[in-house]
Amino acid sequence: VQTSRRQAAFMLSALREIREDSRELKKKRQEGEAGQDKGTILGPLLGPAIKFDKGPTPPIPDGFEVPDNLEFVGLEVDLPVGFKRLRWAMLSKDSQFVKDAIFAAQAKYENITFNEWSKHGDIIGSSDLPDGLVEDDVVGAELETSYLMPKSAFVKANTAYETNTITAYNDYCFCIKKRTLTPEVPYGSTFVAWTQLVIVNTGNDTCRMVCSTEAEFPNGPPMISRQIQSGMRAGTALLFVLIGETICKYADEFP
């Protein structure tokens, strides 16, 4: 597990250097490094370790296939945290990890709102399902979120509206597919940003995360569609790395 932590940290650090190759982004990163020490950790937001996660990789459920990645893979990394522990942190209504640790503390989002899951909200993210409920019953659950993203060198501060859908949910893999609308940015009404996080249980308190993205132009691509796709890929890749870094940091502080 310690080796996995070092490998994940090295990969995420390298990816951040590659992604943030502009002078403006490097300046922002340097300014933020002072706040990215242990002092920014808000507490054990990943939740407690779960005994199940110490075991080997579970078998793939009969008939199950890991969801295909979207068009562009922005990050693929091994994480030093148990599968069910991370599933609770990412999905449970009782978890503040995504809202507080990732969105607010690291991404610097404001005016963050999280609605409730459209079904089975009381059990999504739990270690075990209650009698009478099967894993496939959770698939299709949706959660609406919104947040104000900070201004960048290219666009003013703007609100994103996100629909999160669980497209896979079992003890081997879970997948969150996000549909994001940003109507306040230039040409924002012409495209939909799709992102997807696939988490696979690799056993021994580790899991693998693959993050991908894809642009959709419901009414056909505008003349600047390539620039929109390029900006979307760059922006989501930075967010994916931020998610990975935050998970690793909390897992290291609270093993």
Side-chain angles (χ1 to χ4, degrees):
V1 174
Q2 290 296 329
T3 300
S4 175
R5 286 177 181 159
R6 290 194 294 270
Q7 290 175 341
F10 176 82
M11 179 178 292
L12 290 164
S13 177
L15 281 168
R16 177 171 286 276
E17 290 295 333
I18 293 170
R19 303 297 186 190
E20 298 182 359
D21 57 356
S22 74
R23 182 173 301 175
E24 179 67 21
L25 286 174
K26 282 184 179 179
K27 180 180 177 182
K28 290 181 179 180
R29 176 173 59 84
Q30 291 165 357
E31 291 173 347
E33 282 178 350
Q36 290 189 7
D37 56 16
K38 292 183 179 180
T40 64
I41 293 179
L42 305 177
L45 297 187
L46 281 176
I50 296 175
K51 184 177 180 180
F52 169 88
D53 290 334
K54 297 182 181 298
T57 303
I60 301 174
D62 292 341
F64 174 75
E65 294 183 2
V66 175
D68 292 333
N69 296 323
L70 302 183
E71 183 179 32
F72 174 75
V73 175
L75 177 66
E76 186 170 355
V77 65
D78 294 315
L79 297 172
V81 61
F83 175 83
K84 285 193 174 184
R85 186 184 186 191
L86 183 59
R87 188 175 68 182
W88 178 89
M90 298 289 287
L91 300 181
S92 174
K93 69 179 182 62
D94 297 322
S95 169
Q96 299 298 311
F97 180 70
V98 174
K99 182 179 179 180
D100 292 348
I102 296 177
F103 281 8
Q106 298 300 319
K108 307 303 181 185
Y109 296 163
E110 298 179 352
N111 302 339
I112 304 167
T113 65
F114 272 66
N115 292 339
E116 296 182 352
W117 287 107
S118 60
K119 60 179 181 178
H120 305 306
D122 289 337
I123 60 94
I124 288 176
S126 300
S127 295
D128 300 293
L129 296 177
D131 293 340
L133 197 67
V134 296
E135 293 163 338
D136 283 347
D137 292 335
V138 174
V139 173
E142 294 185 345
L143 174 70
E144 304 285 343
T145 66
S146 66
Y147 44 84
L148 179 69
M149 295 185 289
K151 68 178 182 179
S152 69
F154 307 103
V155 297
K156 64 179 183 179
N158 64 94
T159 302
Y161 303 90
E162 198 171 78
T163 301
N164 301 262
T165 304
I166 297 175
T167 58
Y169 190 94
N170 53 61
D171 287 346
Y172 176 75
C173 169
F174 74 89
C175 176
I176 314 165
K177 191 172 184 180
K178 304 169 180 277
R179 179 180 185 268
T180 306
L181 304 177
T182 50
E184 299 168 10
V185 304
Y187 295 91
S189 61
T190 69
F191 66 90
V192 176
W194 290 95
T195 53
Q196 179 175 271
L197 278 66
V198 176
I199 314 294
V200 172
N201 190 343
T202 50
N204 191 29
D205 275 324
T206 66
C207 50
R208 186 163 187 80
M209 181 172 71
V210 182
C211 308
S212 58
T213 187
E214 184 173 315
E216 177 189 358
F217 301 100
N219 298 315
M223 292 182 62
I224 65 165
S225 60
R226 289 187 179 180
Q227 290 90 328
I228 292 173
Q229 289 176 313
S230 177
M232 185 182 301
R233 290 177 178 182
T236 55
L238 287 174
L239 178 60
F240 294 154
V241 171
L242 190 67
I243 293 170
E245 285 182 334
T246 306
I247 292 170
C248 288
K249 181 167 64 175
Y250 275 77
D252 185 60
E253 183 69 8
F254 297 100

